[in-house]
Amino acid sequence: MKKEVHATGNGVKIAFSGEVKKENIVKMVENCATGACECMSDKTKEKIRDMQVRGEDGAVELELTGDVAKEEIEAALKRSKVLK
């Protein structure tokens, strides 16, 4: 799976490609929203106002809206158990 993280005007966008299933990204977002993940700090989670998943298996895009830095999200992706 390939992950590309880009800063946007209102947050961060992550493009997943290759061996990626949309349901896994949705699960990751749900875990994050409910506090069931440990991949990012509470401080980072508080900065995220919204998370939107788009696309289909093989090409999924996750857009995070909020005052969150690209580097924070890259670090969280490395720690994510869902993406392993």
Side-chain angles (χ1 to χ4, degrees):
M1 173 188 338
K2 186 176 178 185
K3 298 171 264 198
E4 293 180 28
V5 182
H6 305 280
T8 65
N10 59 351
V12 175
K13 188 179 289 188
I14 310 154
F16 300 92
S17 58
E19 295 292 320
V20 59
K21 293 194 179 295
K22 185 175 182 179
E23 66 186 61
N24 289 348
I25 304 305
V26 170
K27 180 180 178 184
M28 181 181 71
V29 167
E30 288 172 352
N31 287 348
C32 187
T34 61
C37 78
E38 299 172 6
C39 61
M40 67 176 81
S41 70
D42 289 339
K43 185 177 177 182
T44 298
K45 288 179 192 175
E46 289 171 7
K47 295 178 186 180
I48 298 171
R49 291 190 311 271
D50 190 36
M51 295 181 273
Q52 295 292 320
V53 180
R54 296 180 188 87
E56 56 193 42
D57 291 355
V60 182
E61 198 172 82
L62 171 58
E63 188 167 355
L64 307 174
T65 305
D67 186 25
V68 62
K70 175 183 171 187
E71 294 77 17
E72 290 175 290
I73 300 307
E74 288 172 331
L77 289 172
K78 288 179 184 173
R79 290 189 294 270
S80 175
K81 293 177 180 147
V82 175
L83 299 179
K84 301 248 184 244

